[in-house]
Amino acid sequence: MSHPARTAPLADGTTLVHIGPYKTGTTAMQGALWAARPALADHGILYPGELAHEMNASMAVALGRVDPGKDIDAFRQRWFDLVARLHAERPRIGVLSSEVYCEATDEGARTVLDALGPRTHVVITVRPIVRLVGSQWQQYGQNVPVPPYDAWLRAILDPAAVGEPDGPAGEGGVTPSFWQRHRHDRLVKRWVGLVGAERVTVIVVDDRDHRGLPAAFEGLLGLPDGLLRPPVDKTNRSLTHPEATLMQTLVERTSRPPWSSADHGRFIRFGAARGLQAAPPDPDAERLLTPAWAIDRALEIGAGMAARIDASGAHVVGDLGLLSDRALAPAEGENAAVSAIAPEAAAALAAGIISKLTGVHPRPEHRDLAGPVERAVWSRHRAVAEEWDAARDRDGARVSAARELARRARRRLGGAS
């Protein structure tokens, strides 16, 4: 079941669409493509956009929604502008990458494929489920209230949540999007059905080989070895178990009024969580441990997925056997209850929130899409700005009066002489 890491390049005129899914190296590849754009252009490759990951533009078209507080029409137009640039410049190979495509609605998938045309090639990156569960639990826990890790694992690994291979999607009671994203066999089957097996490539990610994923993309794009170099991202590290507990406690308390989804996204997801991840972890803190029963179950699910992907007809780069390889399992065990939080972790979390609070601009009007917390912060910032404006006006009036008195005095003195 092993396949060479280097694969034949795609035909000229192809548009490569990397659809994720989440936590399979998408951010790393987006960063590598973004950083290498000048060199890519020299090789006839175009990676369009204003950001390494045009997430909201992709969401607007694929999912029919955007992050809270964003303008869906503007981002939908941005996505079509990206496509227009691909069609106008006609590169040797065009590239789009977003993990949100893996969750595309039927209408969204049709829109993407119709806009890009019949020479679209879909790339799906997959990792062992056993290596995804911990990071996805942490990710969910930064956005919505979730059960403790063991309870969450029991919910998502239940056969009813996973669903039958060819039956309807599972009905997970918590974070149902997990299996929408990570039934990799179903994802491959769906896109093979949409574009044909000859236009789907599956790349199996081996976390032990840091060059494996970039090398696979270099092969598909016909690039020299070593051109794509994923940046080192220290702001998206995994949290320790105490840090994850701290983050989820905060999320629980900010998931009800006066907090709105827009406020939560700005101050918690992109403030507190980023602040915590940007700080170095406590080297003595307990890392997240996965129970043995959950490891066994995840490996069993991975073996079934590997067999079905192998039978799909899609081209596979890498070893599908990794999806059920116990050597890739995370640290095994069960975490002790958290009794204390390191001051450094609490400070990093608070600093992340403060950075977003101070970033609320005291413009004359608040943003129309701002949440109530942001509006309250805006009101305070605006009040301070108005006080400064008033003080400046008072100072200006005093200066003007002083100048006028001086002018009159000079006039009198001049007349007296």
Side-chain angles (χ1 to χ4, degrees):
M1 198 179 291
S2 180
H3 301 264
R6 185 82 184 187
T7 188
L10 299 173
D12 290 359
T14 298
T15 298
L16 183 158
V17 181
H18 179 206
I19 69 170
Y22 294 79
K23 297 296 181 181
T24 61
T26 49
T27 300
M29 289 314 306
Q30 289 153 5
L33 291 163
W34 180 254
R37 282 176 304 153
L40 292 177
D42 292 340
H43 292 276
I45 308 297
L46 175 61
Y47 186 59
E50 300 174 8
L51 302 167
H53 179 203
E54 289 282 358
M55 180 179 68
N56 277 287
S58 304
M59 288 174 62
V61 171
L63 306 180
R65 59 178 173 82
V66 290
D67 278 339
K70 305 292 185 181
D71 185 339
I72 187 170
D73 292 331
F75 280 104
R76 183 176 176 86
Q77 184 57 52
R78 180 183 290 187
W79 188 87
F80 281 103
D81 289 343
L82 300 179
V83 175
R85 185 180 172 194
L86 287 172
H87 290 323
E89 297 192 20
R90 302 179 66 181
R92 182 173 65 82
I93 298 178
V95 182
L96 295 179
S97 175
S98 179
E99 50 268 45
V100 303
Y101 294 133
C102 78
E103 296 180 294
T105 64
D106 290 342
E107 179 183 359
R110 286 194 299 270
T111 298
V112 169
L113 294 174
D114 289 347
L116 293 175
R119 304 191 71 178
T120 303
H121 191 93
V122 176
V123 173
I124 302 171
T125 43
V126 301
R127 288 175 68 212
I129 295 298
V130 75
R131 293 192 66 82
L132 290 171
V133 286
S135 60
Q136 280 286 255
W137 174 74
Q138 288 196 6
Q139 189 71 50
Y140 283 121
Q142 295 173 21
N143 297 289
V144 296
V146 293
Y149 188 40
D150 187 83
W152 181 81
L153 286 170
R154 292 187 184 280
I156 66 157
L157 296 177
D158 184 274
V162 180
E164 295 299 324
D166 298 313
E171 299 294 335
V174 298
T175 58
S177 63
F178 180 87
W179 288 119
Q180 294 172 13
R181 297 172 177 179
H182 296 305
R183 276 305 301 260
H184 299 160
D185 52 344
R186 282 188 182 155
L187 185 64
V188 172
K189 180 180 179 180
R190 182 192 188 197
W191 287 87
V192 164
L194 289 170
V195 301
E198 70 282 358
R199 290 168 54 193
V200 175
T201 293
V202 177
I203 301 174
V204 184
V205 178
D206 185 347
D207 293 334
R208 299 165 299 187
D209 180 6
H210 297 301
R211 280 295 306 155
L213 182 57
F217 271 81
E218 289 165 352
L220 289 170
L221 298 175
L223 297 172
D225 291 342
L227 189 146
L228 294 178
R229 296 183 177 276
V232 177
D233 184 5
K234 296 182 179 180
T235 65
N236 194 31
R237 66 170 176 84
S238 295
L239 301 179
T240 64
H241 183 243
E243 288 174 335
T245 302
L246 173 64
M247 190 68 220
Q248 290 174 13
T249 302
L250 177 64
V251 168
E252 178 68 36
R253 294 190 179 187
T254 56
S255 295
R256 49 184 179 261
W259 293 83
S260 68
S261 57
D263 286 325
H264 193 278
R266 177 163 191 165
F267 299 114
I268 306 304
R269 179 182 174 190
F270 293 111
R274 295 294 171 86
L276 197 55
Q277 289 174 312
D282 178 357
D284 297 324
E286 188 176 49
R287 58 180 169 168
L288 186 65
L289 303 175
T290 300
W293 69 264
I295 291 175
D296 292 340
R297 175 69 176 133
L299 292 174
E300 176 189 1
I301 294 169
M305 288 186 184
R308 287 183 286 275
I309 292 172
D310 199 34
S312 70
H315 177 59
V316 176
V317 178
D319 183 4
L320 284 169
L322 296 178
L323 302 187
S324 58
D325 188 344
R326 184 170 287 276
L328 294 175
E332 181 180 318
E334 302 200 16
N335 291 107
V338 176
S339 58
I341 297 293
E344 293 81 4
L349 182 146
I353 297 176
I354 292 169
S355 70
K356 294 300 181 182
L357 290 172
T358 56
V360 176
H361 195 283
R363 55 176 66 85
E365 298 291 337
H366 59 68
R367 296 188 309 123
D368 289 340
L369 299 175
V373 173
E374 182 180 338
R375 294 188 184 204
V377 174
W378 170 86
S379 295
R380 293 176 184 177
H381 285 356
R382 187 61 190 166
V384 171
E386 289 173 349
E387 287 180 9
W388 277 100
D389 290 342
R392 186 173 61 248
D393 291 342
R394 289 193 298 270
D395 290 344
R398 283 194 289 267
V399 169
S400 296
R403 286 175 177 171
E404 178 61 20
L405 289 172
R407 187 183 66 80
R408 291 178 182 179
R410 285 194 299 271
R411 182 180 298 174
R412 291 193 188 99
L413 291 172
S417 64

